Amino acid sequence: MLDQAQRILKDVFGYDAFRGNQAAIIERVASGDDALVLMPTGGGKSLCFQVPGLLRDGLTVVVSPLIALMDDQVATLDELGVAAVALNSTLDAEAQRSIAERIRRGEIKFLYVAPERLVQPRMLDFLQRVQVGLFAIDEAHCVSQWGHDFRPEYLQLGQLAELFPQVPRIALTATADMRTREEIVQRLHLQNAERFLSSFDRPNIFYRIVPKDQPRKQLLAFLAQRKGDAGIVYCLSRKKVEEVAGFLSEQGFPALPYHAGLPSELRAYNQKRFLNEEGLIMVATIAFGMGIDKPNVRFVAHLDLPKSLEAYYQETGRAGRDGLPADAWMAYGLQDMIFLKQMLASSEGDERHKRVEQHKLDAMLALCEETRCRRQALLAYFDEDLPNPCGHCDNCVDGVQTWDATEPARQGLSAIYRSGQRYGVGHLVDVLLGRENDKIRASGHQHLAVFGMGKALSEGDWRTLFRQLVARGLADVDLDGYGGLRLSDSCRPLLRGEVSLELRRDLKPQQAIKASGSSASQLVRQDEREQWEALRTLRRKLAEEHSVPPYVIFPDATLLEMLRSKPASMSDMAQVSGVGARKLERYGEAFLEVLNGARSEAAVVDLRHELVSLARAGMTPLQIAAQLKCTEKNVYSLLAEAIGRQHLSLEQALDLPEDLLGEIQDAFLDGEGELPPVSAIAEAFVGRVDDGVLHCVRAALQAEFEV
Ligand code: ADP
Ligand code: ZN
């Protein structure tokens, strides 16, 4: 069985080896048993049902919640030469009848369908009369009422177990938590399903979180090193989305806005452009996300703080589905926290629910101020233990400096307390720094004991300190809308001197901007750029011809492998990961042409260099021709060219007797005006020198005149 699976993997998909649990899952499902698959985004879930679907007789029915997702997968299978269709509401009755007919004739291997349609009695009836080989339930967490993507229609999928007892079912999701998992098993009747749990680490994503200082400038610095890359910039509000999108466009970064307040046609249009074009930046609220299957999103940047680690993980997880290096970057500040806390306080819902949400926000804040490896902290939150620091996040790479902030923290808390627990950070800093302005005088705070006590720290240091006090829950934000700070219960031990406080030291703004760049991205080196762009251009052209997104033709990983392994023949091309039989046949030649075209140009450049060196070293044209394995005639014409460009002098190129040289020069200079062509004087020298020599002398004369 696995042999066969392996063959399909290579022939159809063009891949050499299964990843992670894929082989075990495929074996289980292909042999007719149920499976529950938990795998992170980009882990390769699709193959887990596509390969068994091809191994088993009959139709594979894939349940998927979104039309966009279905269309993408159908297009992908289609390009691989696998017969797949999506049944959705955009099809008219005639088209639907024709699909049904093709299914009856066994011409279709994969049927993608939305859950509400699948469970219609007519549909179930139809499926019972054709041979179904496998049910795949994608995005299975949609069955969970606790999750954010709950779809009531998913609840009805449970009946498949009774209606099709002989047909294996595989449920897949990228949502890991225990509660969701149990709900899937229970509601989809998957008690007999083997569970396949993968690590939820996304090793190709580089995490960086920076304190917000001048967010736009920081964002630009981050983007500057990612020109031409596609990415998502998340903002909290619609207004900010539009502002940032406008700002980026002005700065020369092609950016589009996306939020729920835009007309739906515009939203659809922008989303389509993001999928189909390369190097676009989507500036969006969290309304943008579900159903974004674009594999080559190279970065996700947050200009505002997500409200939980679940949200952060999911949003950053949209980067780098293709497994290539990607960045998750975020700038956050005290204002973010104040805003989120206020939102939470004013939200509907019972106290218990609010406490849960508060907890989630605290975990998010803790990640921001984390002094250990970010990945370890993130995975630990999801109950996964990463034994060693990852070496691929800002904290690992830059190192984190901490300082003993016990005393300043006490001063800060004291300033909050003594000023009446209702002032914002600006005022508190003024108190600590002893700034006697109108507001201070009006409140009489120049008489406080802490007034002017904090001059050892700068304004920036104090702001950082207050942010960290809030993030650690040592101070609370007043929720009246003005963002005043008050003490929390947990600060008492610190005030009483029972504990000390180590805080993370922020990078200086200059360093922070520099560091905001660094790291992962940049798939191709400078010297590979040109050829990379040529490959992408061809891919784009083919994608347009076939009306599919470029990544459906070939993913970036495949183009990158072509770029690096330089296949020279169709059989080399067949070895490239991601080039299956059908794609080889359809596109192999075209990509080879681009690769070899560009390569022979590069080869000619090398040849020229070598020729000049050999000539300078005193070799004759005949010797050079032997060395470079080309004709003497070619050598002469390359020599003439080098002389014309003054890379070589005539004396270096040729060893001519002086009087012969004089004679040739006279012949060229005999007439008036322009130099005559070689053919005009060649007759006079037949049998005495090679035509190539005349070309060289002429090139030298011409170079002389041009100076
Ligand atoms: P998921 O649905 O889990 O997010 P996908 O099924 O879209 O992930 O797979 C992510 C990417 O990895 C796709 O481009 C897919 O073709 C590729 N991929 C999956 N399995 C393999 C494999 N065994 N070898 C090489 N590439 C793979
Ligand atoms: Zn790390």
Side-chain angles (χ1 to χ4, degrees), residues 102-117:
R102 286 169 65 202
I103 291 176
R104 260 189 228 105
R105 287 200 300 264
E107 290 171 9
I108 288 176
K109 206 56 211 165
F110 290 89
L111 173 68
Y112 282 77
V113 59
E116 60 272 22
R117 182 169 281 258

Side-chain angles (χ1 to χ4, degrees), residues 6 69 83 96 120 132 138 154 243 299 331 407 414 428 476 517 603 614 645 661 689:
Q6 192 83 40
L69 290 182
Q96 294 186 28
Q120 282 169 10
V132 176
D138 207 2
Y154 262 71
E243 285 169 3
F299 63 84
E407 198 41 47
S414 163
L428 295 170
D476 266 341
L614 295 176
R645 294 183 183 196
L661 174 61
V689 294

Side-chain angles (χ1 to χ4, degrees), residues 565-599:
S565 71
K566 306 200 187 312
S569 63
M570 285 290 268
S571 60
D572 290 351
M573 188 60 105
Q575 298 306 311
V576 174
S577 176
V579 182
R582 172 62 72 98
K583 288 192 178 175
L584 180 69
E585 178 193 317
R586 277 195 185 170
Y587 307 127
E589 292 279 7
F591 281 90
L592 271 182
E593 221 163 82
V594 167
L595 286 164
N596 293 326
R599 194 149 51 114

Side-chain angles (χ1 to χ4, degrees), residues 335-409:
Q335 277 314 313
D336 291 281
M337 299 181 207
I338 293 178
F339 184 79
L340 286 176
K341 284 181 183 245
Q342 283 170 345
M343 253 188 22
L344 193 60
S346 62
S347 69
E348 313 267 307
D350 56 36
E351 279 311 306
R352 200 178 132 251
H353 178 72
K354 282 190 188 179
R355 261 203 311 280
V356 171
E357 296 294 303
Q358 178 64 50
H359 243 75
K360 292 187 169 184
L361 178 56
D362 289 343
M364 182 70 240
L365 298 181
L367 183 74
C368 295
E369 304 292 352
E370 183 60 66
T371 54
R372 299 164 306 158
C373 168
R374 304 254 194 220
R375 193 179 310 270
Q376 278 183 316
L378 184 60
L379 289 173
Y381 179 80
F382 296 112
D383 296 318
E384 197 177 320
D385 176 42
L386 190 69
N388 296 307
C390 73
H392 199 52
C393 71
D394 55 350
N395 287 358
C396 282
V397 170
D398 305 343
V400 180
Q401 291 184 10
T402 58
W403 62 296
D404 181 355
T406 312
E407 198 41 47

Side-chain angles (χ1 to χ4, degrees), residues 519-545:
S519 101
S521 223
Q522 302 193 340
L523 289 183
V524 299
R525 298 190 306 265
Q526 205 50 42
D527 58 313
E528 297 171 325
R529 271 266 147 221
E530 201 175 323
Q531 195 160 22
W532 174 248
E533 288 309 329
L535 291 171
R536 294 220 293 185
T537 303
L538 172 61
R539 177 173 66 173
R540 195 156 49 236
K541 184 174 138 261
L542 294 170
E544 273 163 24
E545 283 169 17

Side-chain angles (χ1 to χ4, degrees), residues 37 104 199 216 282 312-313 334 343 400 410 485 487 618 657:
V37 172
R104 260 189 228 105
S199 164
R216 289 188 173 190
M282 191 65 111
Y312 175 75
Y313 178 82
L334 180 63
M343 253 188 22
V400 180
R410 275 203 217 118
L485 298 190
L487 301 191

